[in-house]
Amino acid sequence: MINKIAIDKTIELIRDDWFLITAMKKDGQVNTMTAQWGTIGYLWGREIATIYIRPTRFTHEFIMESESFSISFFDKSYKEKLKYLGTVSGRDEDKIYNANLSIMTKKEAPYFKEASMTIVCKKIYLSKIDKNGFLDREIDKKVYGDNDYHTVIVGEIQEIF
């Protein structure tokens, strides 16, 4: 039987509470971004999380270079920090430092000590959203008018804490 309450809570966490996607380059540099799109599920016999990042985002470079990433959720008192982290680029300033968050590392994935829940994932699949795949052309026009199509990253969940 489908647990609708659990599904609703997961969607609410992603849609309403947002989350941080965080990755580390091989040189140890860390970057994060606020996200509101993602999925958690079961695919290819594995528990997975799927994230979506536009190539123009600074965090995209970090995700592409790293083998792992984290998804961190926070309680509602962090909403302003998440808003800040979603509007300022790590290219321009040390936004993690300025948000006063503490970076930790687990399984080569950076995450935040202050998070209420963190999911650590190992990358297992990358793809770019294809304009020709849209059956509902309104989505393409509304979301991708600038042709800045997201990269889809599927990560196998390694740990949740």
Side-chain angles (χ1 to χ4, degrees):
M1 167 147 294
I2 296 173
N3 184 336
K4 184 159 174 23
I5 294 170
I7 291 170
D8 288 348
K9 183 60 180 166
T10 302
I11 291 171
E12 180 185 316
L13 273 172
I14 292 169
R15 181 193 62 221
D16 299 337
D17 294 348
W18 309 339
F19 57 97
L20 293 179
I21 298 170
T22 311
M24 182 180 346
K25 285 186 172 182
K26 289 180 177 51
D27 66 3
Q29 185 181 8
V30 174
N31 197 55
T32 193
M33 64 176 271
T34 303
Q36 190 181 19
W37 293 0
T39 59
I40 296 172
Y42 190 73
L43 180 67
W44 305 317
R46 301 173 186 202
E47 295 173 342
I48 57 99
T50 306
I51 57 173
Y52 306 83
I53 303 178
R54 293 180 193 268
T56 52
R57 296 293 300 260
F58 191 43
T59 304
H60 190 272
E61 295 174 27
F62 290 74
I63 288 288
M64 298 310 285
E65 192 172 314
S66 66
E67 293 181 22
S68 303
F69 62 92
S70 71
I71 300 169
S72 298
F73 295 92
F74 296 79
D75 68 45
K76 294 188 186 311
S77 68
Y78 284 84
K79 192 73 166 200
E80 286 303 311
K81 287 186 182 198
L82 294 179
K83 193 179 293 183
Y84 165 76
L85 291 165
T87 56
V88 174
S89 175
R91 287 184 187 101
D92 302 327
E93 62 183 75
D94 187 345
K95 65 183 189 175
I96 295 170
Y97 175 82
N98 292 341
N100 198 29
L101 293 177
S102 308
I103 299 170
M104 310 292 283
T105 305
K106 192 170 252 196
K107 296 192 186 237
E108 298 180 22
Y111 69 96
F112 299 100
K113 180 180 176 183
E114 297 83 1
S116 58
M117 179 175 71
T118 297
I119 302 171
V120 173
C121 298
K122 175 184 171 196
K123 284 189 322 190
I124 59 171
Y125 178 82
L126 297 169
S127 180
K128 188 165 181 138
I129 290 181
D130 181 355
K131 173 185 186 100
N132 297 316
F134 285 102
L135 302 178
D136 182 340
R137 297 288 180 197
E138 289 303 311
I139 296 170
D140 184 36
K141 282 198 288 190
K142 181 180 178 184
V143 179
Y144 298 108
D146 58 359
N147 292 314
D148 190 15
Y149 292 92
H150 286 91
T151 299
V152 179
I153 301 104
V154 178
E156 180 177 7
I157 296 173
Q158 302 292 294
E159 191 169 346
I160 300 173
F161 52 93

